[in-house]
Amino acid sequence: MLEEKLKESIVGELKRQAANRPQALRVEGSSEELVVNGKIDLAELVMVIAGSVAGGP
């Protein structure tokens, strides 16, 4: 359960970042396998993961 929630959170955040900055980040794939090309905002990704573990949205 936690593993699935973490996967969903990570994939969702990476796709959100890619949508906001398509010139800087490209994400393709599914929750089982991703291809990521570009710069990732780690601070935002960590916040999403921490919120997921803490039970946030």
Side-chain angles (χ1 to χ4, degrees):
M1 179 76 162
L2 178 61
E3 183 179 314
E4 192 61 36
K5 188 167 184 162
L6 287 170
K7 282 182 187 179
E8 289 174 11
S9 296
I10 292 168
V11 170
E13 175 58 18
L14 290 175
K15 287 187 176 185
R16 184 196 69 76
Q17 287 188 28
N20 287 345
R21 297 178 294 118
Q23 71 284 0
L25 179 63
R26 191 177 82 236
V27 177
E28 299 172 354
S30 66
S31 62
E32 296 303 316
E33 190 172 87
L34 290 177
V35 175
V36 179
N37 185 1
K39 294 182 180 182
I40 298 169
D41 186 328
L42 288 178
E44 290 184 17
L45 183 59
V46 168
M47 284 181 20
V48 166
I49 293 169
S52 184
V53 172

